């Protein structure tokens, strides 16, 4: 089954303690697609400006990302500039230039409107809502967001919560949105407003998936070197939704497995700048990393204690 993703397609300039990248391919839809397309077909909707190096998207197209919904508009592409200091868990945004995104109205191509899985990547929640008006009752709708939109579009974001099944966000965003410091309470606050599943990512400390009755936790993969954390959240979402779309199974055990796929794909994202790592890996590498996750968390309980 395929996944429809709507989100930013960006030029990122990133500085980490290990190096710098200028105007590298980035954006929520780009990272999501690079990750999910290793698991299932992806349909991308977004916008780029006339200055965008479209040829850099060819490797994604050749591995099953349908770019029929990528609009080319007159003007500047979306640009994000960020920096990570030694705490690689939190990006410091130095500049956000919306460019053609400020006038963007997503137009979902006819052939994308029946996508069973929809991921509303991190963009203006008004646009995320606009997308939902154009699709035909998907089996599953998930969304992401970030501090920028929590601050500037709070009422729209709260409206969006009433229309999604799953939200993924990081711990700082969950606290900012709910004004609850405790993440269990924050998740409950969000679930009371719509989503049945809330995934709270904690960077190198893993991710929690909350439902009304259960909590599941997957660690982040303990990598020896994290190069650039940009896109880890979107790659996580790509692994999570991509795995659900591939299996078509929305049972609780499968959702838990999907969280592990999310963590695995997030761990690949941070090994290089931009989407570079996803262009090197294949199904074998994913299978191998998921197996390592299994080893990482399994232990035998002492039944006599
Ligand atoms: P993350 O997975 O959270 O690290 O997402 C990183 C990506 O988000 C970068 O590639 C940026 O281009 C993109 N991004 C940053 N700010 C925004 C924003 N306000 N709206 C949409 N995308 C953004």
């Amino acid at each position: 089954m395929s996944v429809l993703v709507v989100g930013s397609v960006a030029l990122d300039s990133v500085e980490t303690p290990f190096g710098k990248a200028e105007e590298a391919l980035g954006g929520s839809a780009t990272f999501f697609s690079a990750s999910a397309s290793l698991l299932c077909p992806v349909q991308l909707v977004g916008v780029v400006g006339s200055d965008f190096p479209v040829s850099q998207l060819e490797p994604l197209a050749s591995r099953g990302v349908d770019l029929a919904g990528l609009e080319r508009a007159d003007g500047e592409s979306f640009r994000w500039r960020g920096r990570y200091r030694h705490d690689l868990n939190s990006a410091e945004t130095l500049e956000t230039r919306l460019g053609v995104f400020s006038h963007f109205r997503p137009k979902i191509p006819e052939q994308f409107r029946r996508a069973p899985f929809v991921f509303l990547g991190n963009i203006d929640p008004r646009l995320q809502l606009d997308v939902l008006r154009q699709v035909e009752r998907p089996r599953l709708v998930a969304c992401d967001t970030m501090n920028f939109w929590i601050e500037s579009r709070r009422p729209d974001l709260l409206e969006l919560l009433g229309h999604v099944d799953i939200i993924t966000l990081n711990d700082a965003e969950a606290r900012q949105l709910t004004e609850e410091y405790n993440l269990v309470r924050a998740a409950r606050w969000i679930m009371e407003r719509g989503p049945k599943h809330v995934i709270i990512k904690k960077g190198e400390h893993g991710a929690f998936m909350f439902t009304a009755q259960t909590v599941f936790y997957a660690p982040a993969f303990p990598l020896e070197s994290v190069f650039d954390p940009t896109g880890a959240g979107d790659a996580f979402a790509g692994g999570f939704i991509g795995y659900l779309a591939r299996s078509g199974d929305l049972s609780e055990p499968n959702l838990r497995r999907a969280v592990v796929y999310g963590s695995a794909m997030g761990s690949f994202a941070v090994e290089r700048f931009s989407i570079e790592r996803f262009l090197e890996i294949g199904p074998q590498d994913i299978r191998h990393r998921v197996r390592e996750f299994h080893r990482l968390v399994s232990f035998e309980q002492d039944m006599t204690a």
Side-chain angles (χ1 to χ4, degrees), residues 35-110:
S35 164
S37 60
L38 286 157
L39 299 163
C40 70
V42 177
Q43 302 169 328
L44 184 150
V45 172
V47 64
V48 291
S50 39
D51 55 356
F52 198 86
V54 184
S55 62
Q56 287 189 24
L57 294 171
E58 266 160 29
L60 292 183
S62 65
R63 69 144 72 146
V65 180
D66 188 336
L67 299 173
L70 182 70
E71 194 180 309
R72 274 146 234 197
D74 281 339
E76 248 196 321
S77 297
F78 178 94
R79 280 177 170 75
W80 179 75
R81 180 175 288 277
R83 174 166 61 196
Y84 299 83
R85 299 203 196 248
H86 280 280
D87 173 12
L88 291 171
N89 282 334
S90 56
E92 188 187 337
T93 293
L94 301 175
E95 191 181 18
T96 303
R97 272 156 60 192
L98 292 177
V100 290
F101 247 102
S102 45
H103 304 292
F104 178 54
R105 286 281 155 275
K107 283 180 259 345
I108 310 299
E110 187 56 41

Side-chain angles (χ1 to χ4, degrees), residues 8 10 12 26-28 31 78 80 96 122 146 148-149 229-234:
S8 53
D12 286 350
S28 54
F31 279 107
F78 178 94
W80 179 75
T96 303
N122 169 31
M146 73 180 287
F148 189 85
W149 305 115
T230 312
D234 303 304

Side-chain angles (χ1 to χ4, degrees), residues 83-289:
R83 174 166 61 196
Y84 299 83
R85 299 203 196 248
H86 280 280
D87 173 12
L88 291 171
N89 282 334
S90 56
E92 188 187 337
T93 293
L94 301 175
E95 191 181 18
T96 303
R97 272 156 60 192
L98 292 177
V100 290
F101 247 102
S102 45
H103 304 292
F104 178 54
R105 286 281 155 275
K107 283 180 259 345
I108 310 299
E110 187 56 41
Q111 68 273 27
F112 289 5
R113 292 183 179 210
R114 278 169 295 281
F117 290 79
V118 173
F119 182 68
L120 305 169
N122 169 31
I123 44 168
D124 187 334
R126 292 181 187 176
L127 303 185
Q128 293 173 309
L129 280 163
D130 206 9
V131 169
L132 291 184
R133 288 183 208 110
Q134 297 178 53
V135 293
E136 286 177 25
R137 222 182 302 126
R139 274 188 75 192
L140 182 116
V141 178
C143 77
D144 189 10
T145 193
M146 73 180 287
N147 52 7
F148 189 85
W149 305 115
I150 299 172
E151 268 159 40
S152 59
R153 294 273 192 268
R154 192 179 175 81
D156 303 290
L157 191 54
L158 294 181
E159 184 184 340
L160 179 70
L161 289 183
H163 299 278
V164 302
D165 303 298
I166 302 185
I167 182 168
T168 64
L169 70 185
N170 70 34
D171 46 358
E173 292 155 355
R175 289 182 173 122
Q176 186 187 2
L177 174 64
T178 64
E179 293 168 357
E180 288 279 5
Y181 183 80
N182 179 288
L183 294 179
V184 180
R185 293 167 71 99
R188 194 174 318 126
W189 188 101
I190 296 170
M191 284 187 281
E192 280 164 6
R193 283 154 182 83
K196 288 190 186 60
H197 292 79
V198 175
I199 295 182
I200 300 185
K201 298 161 291 170
K202 291 169 61 62
E204 64 177 328
H205 305 298
F208 286 102
M209 177 172 66
F210 294 92
T211 71
Q213 284 89 29
T214 61
V215 190
F216 175 68
Y217 171 73
F221 192 71
L223 290 169
E224 200 168 315
S225 59
V226 173
F227 191 70
D228 171 17
T230 312
D234 303 304
F236 177 101
F240 176 73
I241 306 286
Y243 181 73
L244 292 177
R246 189 176 76 176
S247 55
D249 173 359
L250 298 180
S251 66
E252 187 67 22
N254 207 50
L255 281 157
R256 291 180 173 213
R257 254 191 304 275
V259 172
V260 174
Y261 272 78
S263 281
M265 299 309 264
S267 73
F268 285 121
V270 305
E271 290 181 313
R272 301 266 191 288
F273 275 128
S274 184
I275 59 165
E276 285 167 17
R277 188 72 176 118
F278 290 114
L279 304 181
E280 297 169 356
I281 62 170
Q284 282 278 88
D285 303 279
I286 300 172
R287 221 172 292 127
H288 184 250
R289 188 146 295 176

Side-chain angles (χ1 to χ4, degrees), residues 10-38:
L11 293 172
D12 286 350
S13 297
V14 183
E15 194 183 322
T16 79
F18 313 106
K20 274 184 179 183
E22 284 293 322
E23 308 247 305
L25 190 56
S28 54
T30 311
F31 279 107
F32 180 93
S33 302
S35 164
S37 60
L38 286 157

